[in-house]
Amino acid sequence: MDTPDPRIVVIGGGTGSFTVLSALKSHTRNITAIVNMVDDGGSTGLLRDEFGVLPPGDVRQCLVALSESTDNMRDLFNYRFDGDTFGGHSFGNLFLAVLEKTTGNFAEGVKTASRVLNIVGQVVPVTLEDCKLILTRTDGSRIEGQYSIESTGVWNDSPSLSLEPDAKLNPEARAAILTADLIVIAPGNLYSSLIPTLLTNGLKQALTETTAPIVYISNLVTKPGQTDGFKVHDFAREIMHHAGRLDCVIYNRRRPSNALLEKYAQDGELGVEYDPDVMAAEPYQAIGGDLVSDNIAPPDSAKTLIPRTLIRHDGEVLAQMIISYLSTK
């Protein structure tokens, strides 16, 4: 397929989607970011608890990624306050919370913010229902909430994840999926971001109904206690199980420097390895590339909420690989 503005849907949230969206907007104006809605940590968690609003954090990052406004406007939406009253909150999170309250509808609030930021494409919450992520262990004990699950540590068994209550797919997200030329599942935390998004009732069905190829971008490092020892095909199998199908996996073949790997290893995070023989037997096409960015962001003096990581994807390389793959379909 070789169209000037292909319809691309990016599923995920957080920095993974931010990286992919920031680069893809230079290649097409028909982008839909479908965003995870179980975040309950930090500023987002405080706003959910105090005001009963839907989680704005990942939505904010996707809006900023797709924005064509000035750097000052993007910095404004990511600005984090100091002090006691608003300490820890970003302006963008507060803005989205106020918009939800004044419009009475989170989706309308996101559309208003989209106009303010002059974004390319659209940002669509995967669900408009207030839900939380639940992890149930084999002994029946439960961990409630994305933040608690992500920070719990070693689970010691295969996790059973669910949404409570059972959240329904946003009709706008379904429509975008069914009319897409390509679906991209962005890199991100497997069990507290990507799979919770895919658990949304109706999403798997939409992904099996669409004729668009589905591409998954594998993570660069593992999550201690959750994906220890995972190789690319392990991540892909989990995604494929919850998505229903998978047509392509884009993975990193370039080993980060030993110095960077040693820094991550101190926190139990290891580079994700790959096994070409195993992937060759899988039902998807595996495409490797040099995905590690050479640009390490300096400490951020603007008090933004975009995390600065040392090992991260090169967004432009990803975008080129995605567009190249689409051109073969």
Side-chain angles (χ1 to χ4, degrees), residues 47-48 51-56 89-106 109:
L47 291 172
R48 291 188 74 172
F51 299 109
V53 297
L54 291 177
H89 287 297
S90 75
F91 173 82
N93 284 0
L94 294 171
F95 186 73
L96 286 166
V98 170
L99 284 174
E100 180 178 353
K101 287 296 187 181
T102 56
T103 64
N105 184 300
F106 186 69

mmCIF file of all heavy atoms in Angstrom, residues 47-48 51-56 89-106 109:
data_model
loop_
_atom_site.group_PDB
_atom_site.id
_atom_site.type_symbol
_atom_site.label_atom_id
_atom_site.label_comp_id
_atom_site.label_asym_id
_atom_site.label_seq_id
_atom_site.Cartn_x
_atom_site.Cartn_y
_atom_site.Cartn_z
ATOM 1 N N LEU A 47 -5.913 13.055 40.966
ATOM 2 C CA LEU A 47 -7.081 13.689 40.340
ATOM 3 C C LEU A 47 -8.255 12.728 40.264
ATOM 4 O O LEU A 47 -9.411 13.116 40.462
ATOM 5 C CB LEU A 47 -6.714 14.199 38.944
ATOM 6 C CG LEU A 47 -5.747 15.394 38.917
ATOM 7 C CD1 LEU A 47 -5.298 15.686 37.490
ATOM 8 C CD2 LEU A 47 -6.400 16.621 39.531
ATOM 9 N N ARG A 48 -7.983 11.447 39.987
ATOM 10 C CA ARG A 48 -9.054 10.445 39.956
ATOM 11 C C ARG A 48 -9.706 10.328 41.324
ATOM 12 O O ARG A 48 -10.936 10.265 41.446
ATOM 13 C CB ARG A 48 -8.502 9.083 39.512
ATOM 14 C CG ARG A 48 -8.063 8.995 38.081
ATOM 15 C CD ARG A 48 -7.712 7.578 37.671
ATOM 16 N NE ARG A 48 -8.926 6.762 37.496
ATOM 17 C CZ ARG A 48 -8.923 5.532 36.988
ATOM 18 N NH1 ARG A 48 -7.778 4.961 36.618
ATOM 19 N NH2 ARG A 48 -10.044 4.861 36.840
ATOM 20 N N PHE A 51 -11.352 14.142 42.437
ATOM 21 C CA PHE A 51 -12.396 14.764 41.626
ATOM 22 C C PHE A 51 -13.252 13.760 40.847
ATOM 23 O O PHE A 51 -14.221 14.153 40.197
ATOM 24 C CB PHE A 51 -11.784 15.771 40.647
ATOM 25 C CG PHE A 51 -11.069 16.898 41.322
ATOM 26 C CD1 PHE A 51 -9.689 16.986 41.290
ATOM 27 C CD2 PHE A 51 -11.776 17.871 42.013
ATOM 28 C CE1 PHE A 51 -9.017 18.015 41.917
ATOM 29 C CE2 PHE A 51 -11.115 18.915 42.648
ATOM 30 C CZ PHE A 51 -9.737 18.987 42.608
ATOM 31 N N GLY A 52 -12.876 12.483 40.888
ATOM 32 C CA GLY A 52 -13.669 11.476 40.197
ATOM 33 C C GLY A 52 -13.599 11.581 38.686
ATOM 34 O O GLY A 52 -14.536 11.180 37.980
ATOM 35 N N VAL A 53 -12.487 12.120 38.168
ATOM 36 C CA VAL A 53 -12.335 12.261 36.723
ATOM 37 C C VAL A 53 -11.651 11.025 36.148
ATOM 38 O O VAL A 53 -11.048 10.227 36.872
ATOM 39 C CB VAL A 53 -11.520 13.522 36.363
ATOM 40 C CG1 VAL A 53 -12.248 14.771 36.826
ATOM 41 C CG2 VAL A 53 -10.115 13.458 36.982
ATOM 42 N N LEU A 54 -11.737 10.864 34.839
ATOM 43 C CA LEU A 54 -11.024 9.785 34.169
ATOM 44 C C LEU A 54 -9.539 10.144 34.077
ATOM 45 O O LEU A 54 -9.172 11.321 34.119
ATOM 46 C CB LEU A 54 -11.618 9.549 32.777
ATOM 47 C CG LEU A 54 -13.032 8.965 32.770
ATOM 48 C CD1 LEU A 54 -13.560 8.837 31.345
ATOM 49 C CD2 LEU A 54 -13.069 7.600 33.460
ATOM 50 N N PRO A 55 -8.667 9.146 33.944
ATOM 51 C CA PRO A 55 -7.220 9.408 34.008
ATOM 52 C C PRO A 55 -6.701 10.242 32.832
ATOM 53 O O PRO A 55 -6.804 9.812 31.680
ATOM 54 C CB PRO A 55 -6.607 8.002 34.004
ATOM 55 C CG PRO A 55 -7.659 7.108 33.437
ATOM 56 C CD PRO A 55 -8.959 7.706 33.838
ATOM 57 N N PRO A 56 -6.116 11.414 33.104
ATOM 58 C CA PRO A 56 -5.672 12.290 32.014
ATOM 59 C C PRO A 56 -4.223 12.106 31.573
ATOM 60 O O PRO A 56 -3.830 12.590 30.513
ATOM 61 C CB PRO A 56 -5.860 13.689 32.613
ATOM 62 C CG PRO A 56 -5.585 13.482 34.080
ATOM 63 C CD PRO A 56 -6.097 12.096 34.406
ATOM 64 N N HIS A 89 1.387 17.868 40.298
ATOM 65 C CA HIS A 89 0.426 17.904 39.192
ATOM 66 C C HIS A 89 1.030 18.594 37.976
ATOM 67 O O HIS A 89 1.789 19.559 38.097
ATOM 68 C CB HIS A 89 -0.840 18.664 39.595
ATOM 69 C CG HIS A 89 -1.723 17.910 40.541
ATOM 70 N ND1 HIS A 89 -2.326 16.720 40.210
ATOM 71 C CD2 HIS A 89 -2.108 18.187 41.809
ATOM 72 C CE1 HIS A 89 -3.042 16.293 41.232
ATOM 73 N NE2 HIS A 89 -2.924 17.155 42.222
ATOM 74 N N SER A 90 0.658 18.122 36.787
ATOM 75 C CA SER A 90 1.025 18.837 35.568
ATOM 76 C C SER A 90 -0.135 19.737 35.176
ATOM 77 O O SER A 90 -1.300 19.435 35.456
ATOM 78 C CB SER A 90 1.323 17.863 34.430
ATOM 79 O OG SER A 90 0.125 17.317 33.905
ATOM 80 N N PHE A 91 0.197 20.832 34.507
ATOM 81 C CA PHE A 91 -0.847 21.742 34.051
ATOM 82 C C PHE A 91 -1.818 21.026 33.115
ATOM 83 O O PHE A 91 -3.038 21.216 33.189
ATOM 84 C CB PHE A 91 -0.226 22.952 33.337
ATOM 85 C CG PHE A 91 -1.254 23.837 32.696
ATOM 86 C CD1 PHE A 91 -1.939 24.774 33.443
ATOM 87 C CD2 PHE A 91 -1.553 23.712 31.336
ATOM 88 C CE1 PHE A 91 -2.903 25.578 32.854
ATOM 89 C CE2 PHE A 91 -2.514 24.515 30.744
ATOM 90 C CZ PHE A 91 -3.191 25.459 31.501
ATOM 91 N N GLY A 92 -1.281 20.194 32.223
ATOM 92 C CA GLY A 92 -2.137 19.489 31.265
ATOM 93 C C GLY A 92 -3.124 18.560 31.936
ATOM 94 O O GLY A 92 -4.290 18.462 31.510
ATOM 95 N N ASN A 93 -2.697 17.860 32.980
ATOM 96 C CA ASN A 93 -3.618 16.995 33.713
ATOM 97 C C ASN A 93 -4.744 17.796 34.353
ATOM 98 O O ASN A 93 -5.913 17.413 34.307
ATOM 99 C CB ASN A 93 -2.862 16.215 34.790
ATOM 100 C CG ASN A 93 -2.042 15.076 34.223
ATOM 101 O OD1 ASN A 93 -2.020 14.850 33.021
ATOM 102 N ND2 ASN A 93 -1.358 14.358 35.095
ATOM 103 N N LEU A 94 -4.367 18.922 34.984
ATOM 104 C CA LEU A 94 -5.379 19.781 35.600
ATOM 105 C C LEU A 94 -6.335 20.347 34.548
ATOM 106 O O LEU A 94 -7.548 20.411 34.756
ATOM 107 C CB LEU A 94 -4.704 20.921 36.358
ATOM 108 C CG LEU A 94 -3.880 20.520 37.591
ATOM 109 C CD1 LEU A 94 -3.085 21.719 38.101
ATOM 110 C CD2 LEU A 94 -4.767 19.960 38.682
ATOM 111 N N PHE A 95 -5.791 20.730 33.412
ATOM 112 C CA PHE A 95 -6.594 21.294 32.330
ATOM 113 C C PHE A 95 -7.617 20.273 31.838
ATOM 114 O O PHE A 95 -8.803 20.590 31.665
ATOM 115 C CB PHE A 95 -5.675 21.738 31.195
ATOM 116 C CG PHE A 95 -6.370 22.475 30.084
ATOM 117 C CD1 PHE A 95 -6.820 23.767 30.261
ATOM 118 C CD2 PHE A 95 -6.557 21.873 28.852
ATOM 119 C CE1 PHE A 95 -7.453 24.453 29.237
ATOM 120 C CE2 PHE A 95 -7.191 22.542 27.816
ATOM 121 C CZ PHE A 95 -7.638 23.842 28.007
ATOM 122 N N LEU A 96 -7.181 19.036 31.619
ATOM 123 C CA LEU A 96 -8.103 17.991 31.153
ATOM 124 C C LEU A 96 -9.156 17.675 32.210
ATOM 125 O O LEU A 96 -10.321 17.412 31.879
ATOM 126 C CB LEU A 96 -7.323 16.730 30.778
ATOM 127 C CG LEU A 96 -6.546 16.805 29.459
ATOM 128 C CD1 LEU A 96 -5.542 15.649 29.363
ATOM 129 C CD2 LEU A 96 -7.499 16.767 28.270
ATOM 130 N N ALA A 97 -8.757 17.688 33.483
ATOM 131 C CA ALA A 97 -9.724 17.434 34.553
ATOM 132 C C ALA A 97 -10.794 18.529 34.588
ATOM 133 O O ALA A 97 -11.987 18.240 34.746
ATOM 134 C CB ALA A 97 -9.004 17.352 35.899
ATOM 135 N N VAL A 98 -10.376 19.774 34.428
ATOM 136 C CA VAL A 98 -11.333 20.884 34.410
ATOM 137 C C VAL A 98 -12.253 20.778 33.194
ATOM 138 O O VAL A 98 -13.466 21.005 33.292
ATOM 139 C CB VAL A 98 -10.588 22.240 34.417
ATOM 140 C CG1 VAL A 98 -11.564 23.385 34.152
ATOM 141 C CG2 VAL A 98 -9.884 22.444 35.748
ATOM 142 N N LEU A 99 -11.695 20.431 32.037
ATOM 143 C CA LEU A 99 -12.512 20.281 30.837
ATOM 144 C C LEU A 99 -13.561 19.188 31.009
ATOM 145 O O LEU A 99 -14.708 19.336 30.571
ATOM 146 C CB LEU A 99 -11.629 19.960 29.626
ATOM 147 C CG LEU A 99 -10.837 21.122 29.039
ATOM 148 C CD1 LEU A 99 -9.908 20.621 27.942
ATOM 149 C CD2 LEU A 99 -11.767 22.201 28.498
ATOM 150 N N GLU A 100 -13.186 18.079 31.653
ATOM 151 C CA GLU A 100 -14.174 17.019 31.890
ATOM 152 C C GLU A 100 -15.294 17.532 32.783
ATOM 153 O O GLU A 100 -16.476 17.234 32.559
ATOM 154 C CB GLU A 100 -13.512 15.795 32.514
ATOM 155 C CG GLU A 100 -14.514 14.677 32.785
ATOM 156 C CD GLU A 100 -13.896 13.411 33.356
ATOM 157 O OE1 GLU A 100 -12.651 13.335 33.437
ATOM 158 O OE2 GLU A 100 -14.666 12.507 33.737
ATOM 159 N N LYS A 101 -14.933 18.302 33.802
ATOM 160 C CA LYS A 101 -15.943 18.818 34.718
ATOM 161 C C LYS A 101 -16.856 19.846 34.040
ATOM 162 O O LYS A 101 -18.069 19.862 34.262
ATOM 163 C CB LYS A 101 -15.268 19.453 35.945
ATOM 164 C CG LYS A 101 -14.662 18.441 36.920
ATOM 165 C CD LYS A 101 -15.738 17.570 37.541
ATOM 166 C CE LYS A 101 -15.198 16.671 38.621
ATOM 167 N NZ LYS A 101 -16.260 15.803 39.200
ATOM 168 N N THR A 102 -16.274 20.712 33.216
ATOM 169 C CA THR A 102 -17.080 21.778 32.608
ATOM 170 C C THR A 102 -17.917 21.279 31.431
ATOM 171 O O THR A 102 -19.011 21.790 31.190
ATOM 172 C CB THR A 102 -16.180 22.932 32.142
ATOM 173 O OG1 THR A 102 -15.171 22.432 31.250
ATOM 174 C CG2 THR A 102 -15.528 23.616 33.337
ATOM 175 N N THR A 103 -17.407 20.288 30.696
ATOM 176 C CA THR A 103 -18.181 19.745 29.567
ATOM 177 C C THR A 103 -19.067 18.590 29.997
ATOM 178 O O THR A 103 -20.028 18.254 29.302
ATOM 179 C CB THR A 103 -17.253 19.249 28.445
ATOM 180 O OG1 THR A 103 -16.463 18.142 28.926
ATOM 181 C CG2 THR A 103 -16.332 20.360 27.962
ATOM 182 N N GLY A 104 -18.721 17.987 31.157
ATOM 183 C CA GLY A 104 -19.479 16.824 31.615
ATOM 184 C C GLY A 104 -19.143 15.557 30.874
ATOM 185 O O GLY A 104 -19.799 14.524 31.041
ATOM 186 N N ASN A 105 -18.076 15.611 30.058
ATOM 187 C CA ASN A 105 -17.749 14.469 29.214
ATOM 188 C C ASN A 105 -16.254 14.488 28.920
ATOM 189 O O ASN A 105 -15.740 15.453 28.340
ATOM 190 C CB ASN A 105 -18.566 14.550 27.909
ATOM 191 C CG ASN A 105 -18.370 13.348 27.017
ATOM 192 O OD1 ASN A 105 -17.272 13.054 26.585
ATOM 193 N ND2 ASN A 105 -19.464 12.652 26.729
ATOM 194 N N PHE A 106 -15.552 13.420 29.305
ATOM 195 C CA PHE A 106 -14.104 13.378 29.115
ATOM 196 C C PHE A 106 -13.739 13.428 27.640
ATOM 197 O O PHE A 106 -12.771 14.097 27.246
ATOM 198 C CB PHE A 106 -13.533 12.117 29.758
ATOM 199 C CG PHE A 106 -12.027 12.048 29.739
ATOM 200 C CD1 PHE A 106 -11.268 12.907 30.522
ATOM 201 C CD2 PHE A 106 -11.363 11.122 28.945
ATOM 202 C CE1 PHE A 106 -9.876 12.854 30.509
ATOM 203 C CE2 PHE A 106 -9.980 11.059 28.934
ATOM 204 C CZ PHE A 106 -9.231 11.927 29.718
ATOM 205 N N GLY A 109 -13.853 16.856 26.446
ATOM 206 C CA GLY A 109 -12.716 17.577 26.990
ATOM 207 C C GLY A 109 -11.444 17.326 26.198
ATOM 208 O O GLY A 109 -10.658 18.239 25.927
#
